[in-house]
Amino acid sequence: MDNHNEEIVPEMCKVTDALGILVGKWKPVILLHLLKNGTQRFNELKRSLPGITQKMLTNQLRELEEEDIIERKVYAQVPPKVEYSITDYGTSLEPILHAMHVWGTNHTIHKQTKRNNQAEAK
Amino acid sequence: MDNHNEEIVPEMCKVTDALGILVGKWKPVILLHLLKNGTQRFNELKRSLPGITQKMLTNQLRELEEEDIIERKVYAQVPPKVEYSITDYGTSLEPILHAMHVWGTNHTIHKQTKRNNQAEAK
DNA sequence: TGGTATAGTATAAAAAAAGATACTGTGGAA
DNA sequence: TTCCACAGTATCTTTTTTTATACTATACCA
């Protein structure tokens, strides 16, 4: 048995680092859109994200690009054309997003069940 | 082949819901402490979390309790004694926290590598 | 000639999250 | 008698995040 047990030591925990990349009101949805639909132009994304402002979209995309999760490709055209896509490295996030989605789905059920139980216990 | 493919539809995505539970500057660390050390008293936790204010700790604990992730047990004593622990249900978060930790750890390396490559490319 | 689409930037304001600080009541120890 | 530990509350201030709004340049179309 080798000695790299996988216990997380809170003091050197990287969970927050990982979270930092996912957090932001719009980042998960942006990632899911890019994962599902592949390469997208700026305004395509914008139309898929009702309510987002251009500034927010730009911000979130830049932050994801900074982390090497997505790629930004600018075409030298007028009017401008900019395409966004998930990098190969970025796809390594997919299992986590998926796990969170599954957990989140179950959690909504869990909470509903709990509420019902509490209601009938009165 | 059955028809429940697990593709995440962004429109009905629960990732944000799951994230909402983990987000908060202190929640992941609190959870990791409780997972690692088991039941803890309020001030034990506080001492383990250098820099946290009582208000923040109380807040985060109440929010986690609200989601049924942790349990709060009050002893009718003076001075007061309150114990916090992960619920059985709460442990279902462990794989996700673990996955995020592993991903986060790798990500720090990834970024370092990228920086080095960029530096030597100049 | 005016209007539209593109991918943004700039600035300010509002809202949410986090932090600082002071306060509570009570039993036991010094 | 004063002080400490306990598990919090109550306010107030600061910081961060998000939103709202207006503005840019240029090609194309009618």
Side-chain angles (χ1 to χ4, degrees):
Chain A
M1 178 171 145
D2 55 24
N3 71 342
H4 75 301
N5 84 0
E6 286 285 7
E7 193 185 358
I8 309 175
V9 181
E11 288 71 30
M12 45 183 57
C13 139
K14 298 288 177 187
V15 173
T16 311
D17 300 41
L19 272 175
I21 283 150
L22 263 17
V23 165
K25 192 173 168 187
W26 301 95
K27 277 183 198 166
V29 204
I30 291 173
L31 289 175
L32 292 175
H33 265 284
L34 290 176
L35 281 167
K36 194 185 171 212
N37 306 324
T39 302
Q40 299 265 108
R41 294 183 61 172
F42 184 85
N43 269 7
E44 268 180 302
L45 275 173
K46 185 159 178 291
R47 277 187 290 266
S48 312
L49 272 19
I52 199 170
T53 61
Q54 302 194 224
K55 194 195 171 188
M56 256 295 127
L57 183 52
T58 313
N59 271 0
Q60 309 278 289
L61 289 170
R62 292 291 149 82
E63 286 178 31
L64 289 169
E65 191 193 358
E66 177 68 21
E67 300 296 335
D68 201 25
I69 309 293
I70 67 175
E71 195 187 347
R72 178 166 178 267
K73 193 169 177 184
V74 184
Y75 293 81
Q77 298 183 355
V78 160
K81 177 177 175 183
V82 180
E83 283 182 347
Y84 292 91
S85 56
I86 304 270
T87 60
D88 284 348
Y89 175 67
T91 58
S92 67
L93 268 176
E94 199 166 9
I96 291 181
L97 288 172
H98 190 261
M100 292 217 283
H101 173 67
V102 172
W103 192 89
T105 306
N106 182 70
H107 188 60
T108 359
I109 298 166
H110 179 86
K111 267 166 71 178
Q112 193 53 56
T113 310
K114 225 185 76 183
R115 251 194 298 277
N116 290 348
N117 289 350
Q118 283 171 354
E120 86 188 30
K122 290 200 214 174
Chain B
M1 178 168 142
D2 55 23
N3 70 343
H4 74 301
N5 84 1
E6 285 285 5
E7 193 184 0
I8 309 176
V9 182
E11 288 71 30
M12 43 183 58
C13 142
K14 297 289 176 186
V15 172
T16 310
D17 303 57
L19 271 175
I21 284 151
L22 263 16
V23 166
K25 192 174 166 187
W26 301 94
K27 277 184 199 164
V29 204
I30 291 172
L31 289 176
L32 292 175
H33 265 284
L34 290 176
L35 282 167
K36 195 186 169 213
N37 306 323
T39 303
Q40 300 266 106
R41 294 182 64 171
F42 184 84
N43 269 7
E44 266 181 306
L45 276 173
K46 186 159 178 290
R47 277 187 291 265
S48 313
L49 272 20
I52 199 171
T53 61
Q54 303 194 221
K55 190 196 172 186
M56 258 296 127
L57 183 51
T58 312
N59 271 1
Q60 309 278 291
L61 289 170
R62 291 292 149 78
E63 286 177 32
L64 289 168
E65 191 193 358
E66 178 68 20
E67 300 296 336
D68 201 25
I69 310 293
I70 66 174
E71 194 188 347
R72 178 166 179 270
K73 192 168 175 187
V74 184
Y75 293 83
Q77 298 183 355
V78 160
K81 177 177 174 181
V82 181
E83 282 182 347
Y84 292 91
S85 56
I86 304 271
T87 60
D88 284 349
Y89 174 67
T91 59
S92 68
L93 268 176
E94 199 166 8
I96 291 181
L97 287 173
H98 189 261
M100 293 217 283
H101 172 68
V102 171
W103 191 91
T105 305
N106 183 70
H107 188 58
T108 355
I109 297 166
H110 179 85
K111 267 166 71 178
Q112 192 53 55
T113 312
K114 227 184 75 185
R115 251 194 299 277
N116 291 347
N117 290 348
Q118 283 171 352
E120 84 188 34
K122 289 201 216 176

